[in-house]
Amino acid sequence: MKTLALLAITLGSFVVACAPPTTINITPSGGTNNNSDGGSGGSGGSGGVGATGGSDIPEPEPTAHDEYINVVHPSIIQTCGGCHNPQAGAGAPAFLDYDPEVSYLVIKDYPGVLTNPAESVLITQPPHTGPALNAGQKDIVTNWLNMELAEGGGTTTTTSSSSGGSQAMTLEEMLDSFAACMDYDIWLATGMDKLPLQQTADGGPCASCHGQGTAGFFASNDSLETFDKNKSFPYILRLVSPIYGTDSNPTDLAPSNRIINKGKEPCANPPVCHPKYELSPENKQALETFVGGTLTKWQAGECGKI
């Protein structure tokens, strides 16, 4: 698998014309992280805490990953998404995707982004024809970059829970080893070869739009080609997603459910909207069985690397 930085350039995405969209001003998040790691219980303090009035356990602080997904991406995608995604056709650097999880991986790996905020290309913004980030957006980007640097520079090196939890793995290595677990005979046996034929409400089958990998999802009428493509980045992220730890580094993989949920999501990029659909029971079962079974093998350490 090529590096995320190189493959980010080819990441597919539904796009809008490169026109200045409306910018929005969002202040730095003070939110909480809902992905609690269930840490150890607190010890009793010398002064004591009243037993009534509910729990006094503080909410965990948001991670840099949470900050990007919940605050930064919803803001800058409005301003920059029309030009800075791989399919915009504007000749602009491609460091964003309309999928926030995919975008998080791409933007961190883009040269010049993850550095001192005063020097980051997101803040300095070399001369270009598109709209600039406003002062509020620069504040939230600065806050996010400082969080990434405080957590160790935003590296992707982690200790995966697969293979007994003892092997240090990067996200790229985790996806590589998951891909090595994917079996074409099981792909066919579970019915994954029928997924590209899934009909949408007004856009025909999935293969009619995604036969060339548009929007980071590859689904062509060639079953073997579709299987092989879905073993590589970014298409594999439609099958599994990273689970992030307290330092914004991925610690495990889980079913992404992106294909299941996409057809029910509100339009994220009007006026270009994805056709509505509900996966057929057969396609939903095929997806859950294939991804779940492959994850079970991967987490048991039964697979090598491609």
Side-chain angles (χ1 to χ4, degrees), residues 54-80:
S55 172
D56 292 309
I57 301 175
E59 291 287 340
E61 292 296 321
T63 64
H65 166 263
D66 300 329
E67 188 75 3
Y68 180 83
I69 297 299
N70 297 324
V71 181
V72 177
H73 187 268
S75 176
I76 66 174
I77 195 66
Q78 299 291 330
T79 302
C80 311

Side-chain angles (χ1 to χ4, degrees), residues 3 26 30 39 43-44 71 79 97 120 122 138 140 186 203 232 245 285:
T3 63
I26 302 178
S43 58
V71 181
T79 302
D97 186 82
S120 173
L122 292 179
K138 288 183 178 181
I140 66 171
I186 297 176
S232 64
Q285 182 64 45

